Amino acid sequence: MNQYPILDRVNSPQDVKSLNRKELKELCVEIRKFLVEQVSKTGGHLASNLGVVELTIALHRVFDTPWDSIIWDVGHQCYTHKIITGRKDQFDTLRQPGGLGGFPKPEESPHDAFIAGHSSTSISAAYAISRANQMRGSNSHAIAVIGDGAFTGGMAYEALNNAGRSRTNLIIVLNHNAMSISRNVGAFARYLTTIRLQPGYLRLKDHTETVLDHIPLVGKPVKRVVQSSKAALKNALYHSTFFEEMGFTYIGPVDGHDLKALEKAFVQAKILCRPVFVHVETTKGKGYEFAEKNPLIYHGISKFDVETGNPDLPEEDSFSVVFGNYLTELADHDDKICAITAAMKQGTGLTPFCSKHRNRFFDVGIAEQHAVTFAAGLASKEYIPVFAVYSTFLQRAYDQILHDAAIERLHVVLAVDRAGLVGDDGETHQGVYDIAYLTSIPGVTVYSPTTNEELKAQLYKAIYETEGVVAIRYPRGCDKKIYRSQNPSADYLFLDERGKNLAISYGRIFHDLYAVNQKGHFGALLKLNKINPLSDELVEKISAYHDIIFFEEVEQNGSIGEHLLLQLNQLGWRGSFRSVSLPNGFFKQGKVPQMLKEYRLDQEGMAEILREEWETK
C-alpha cells in the first residue's frame, strides 16, 4: 500500500497548486510523516520543520519560485520547501556526504534563493533582492521567512529600519513559535505574545467590512469612510504595531496551520506591492507528539526511534557537559562568575549553571555581538563573564571582541564550543576559522584542551590566571581517553624527546598523533595547551629541532603553524617545516572521522606523513 499517495504526485510547486482542499490537508499529514521517518534515519532539524508545513505549502501556492524569491532565515525550517521543489527522492541523503544540505543552497536548486546557516540575515537579503528586482523592472516578490528567535539578532532590526519605507515588493513572514533553539527571551518575545493575545482589531475590521458589503446603497460608501479612517480605528482599538511604525503594512496574527487563512493573508500581501509584514503563529514540532512536547530536544536531533521518540542523547561526559558542570562548580564558590549564552543554553552545557545561579545567567537571544559587548560591560565592573558559544557563531562578533573587549584589556572568557570540523551541518557551521580570527586580535590568549582534565584546568586558568580576552576552544564530542594528561595546567609539554624530529599538535587530534608515535617512535612530540601566544621561551626550544611537522584541524590561513613558522624565521631558523592542516576554503557536510581521514589528520594519515618525511631521511 502506498503510504504517500498525495506526496508522490508532488514533484514541483506547480503540483501543489493543482491540489484541492482535501488533498492539501492530506499532503500536510503525509509530509509530516515523511519528515519524521526520514530525519529519524539521518538526523537533522525536525521540530522547526514540522511547524512550517502549512506555511510552506501556502507560500508555494501563492508565489512562484524561482521567479519569486523565498529566503529562509537560519534555514533549518526549509525541509518542506526542499520536498516541494523536487528533492524528496534525495532525502535519504540529507546531511550526508555528497547529499542534500540541511540548509538552503542556491547551488543545490534554483528554488533556493539565498544560503542561510546563521540567523537574522533574511530581511537584509530579501530587501536587497526586492531592490534588485525593482531596478531591473521586475514585479517579482522577495519573501523573508524569519522566526521570532532570529528576531533577537540585531541585524534583523537594521534591515527593518532600512527596508520599511522602500516601496518594494518585499514581504516579511514572521514565524512565531516562541522558540529559537532554547525558548525565546526578551522584550520582543513578550511583545509578540501581546499581539497574539489581542487580535480584536483584525476580527472587528473583517466583520465590519463584511456587514457593510451587504447593506444596500449606503454600505459601500460607509465602508470607504471606515477604510480611510482605519489608522485612527486601529490606534483606538489595537494600537499601532511596531512593524507599522517601521513602514510595513501589518497582517496578522494568522493561524500558521490554517492553509486557507495563510493563503488569504499571502494574497493580500502580494497585491499590496509594498513592504508587508505577515505575522504567522505556528507550533514547533506540530504533528509529532514527542517533538511538540519537547521541541528543544527535537530541534536538531541525531537518529531516533520513531515509535518511542528515543533519541541518541549527547554523551554525559562530552566537553560541553564537562565545561558546564565545572563552571557551575567554580561559580558555587565565586559570586563574580557570570555565564552568557546566545540562545544555546543546553547545547553549550549551561543548564546546570542556569538552575543554580539564575541571577548570574544571561540568555541574550541569538545576538552574539550583543553578548560579547554585554560581557565586556560586566567585566568593566569586575565581574568575570564567561560567554559559551559555538565557534561558527562567534565569527559574528569579531568587531566586538576587538573593539569592545580587547582594546581595553577587559577580562572576558570565551568558551568556544564545536571548534574544528563539525560534520553534518556543512560549510555554514564548521568551526575551523576561529584560530585565524582570534589570533589576529592583539592580546587574545587561546587554549585548546585534549582531555577533560585539561579543559577544567584551562577554564580555571582562563578565569583566575590569565588577563584580557581568553578563549578556550574545544570540539563537539568526548575525550577519546587515548592520551592521559601528564600535567593539565602546563602551557605545553614535550613528550618522547629524542633526535632532531619534532611533531606538534593540540586539541582533539593530539590523541591520534600520540597513538601514532607510541607505535612508531618517529621522534619527539610537542603538545600545545596554550596555543596563542607562543612564548619566546617555547619557540627557542622548538628551534633546537631540525625537522618539524605541525598537525592542525584548522584552515591553513592564520593557523598556529603559520604563526610558529614566522617566529622561527625571525630567530634565523633554517630547518624543514611542514604544516598539515585543512586547505583554505569551505567544507561541505560529512562525517568527522571520514573528513579527518580525507585530510590525513587521522592516525593512518599522520603515520603515513611521518614515514614519508622522516623514515626516508
Side-chain angles (χ1 to χ4, degrees), residues 526-582:
L526 170 58
K527 182 187 190 312
L528 299 178
N529 290 331
K530 179 182 177 182
I531 62 175
N532 187 74
L534 300 178
S535 68
D536 293 340
E537 174 193 28
L538 173 59
V539 177
E540 187 75 36
K541 290 180 179 179
I542 294 172
S543 69
Y545 291 88
H546 184 269
D547 291 309
I548 299 172
I549 302 178
F550 201 133
F551 295 96
E552 291 185 85
E553 189 188 340
V554 297
E555 188 190 41
Q556 190 170 68
N557 276 351
S559 64
I560 301 301
E562 190 176 84
H563 293 307
L564 173 59
L565 183 57
L566 175 62
Q567 289 179 266
L568 288 170
N569 285 340
Q570 289 172 339
L571 287 179
W573 181 80
R574 291 295 180 265
S576 170
F577 189 100
R578 178 171 177 180
S579 174
V580 182
S581 56
L582 301 174

Side-chain angles (χ1 to χ4, degrees), residues 89-120:
D89 293 338
Q90 299 170 261
F91 251 76
D92 58 350
T93 71
L94 181 69
R95 303 169 80 238
Q96 306 302 304
L100 282 182
F103 302 94
K105 288 186 176 182
E107 68 178 51
E108 193 177 280
S109 169
H111 295 279
D112 292 358
F114 202 81
I115 194 167
H118 294 179
S119 79
S120 314

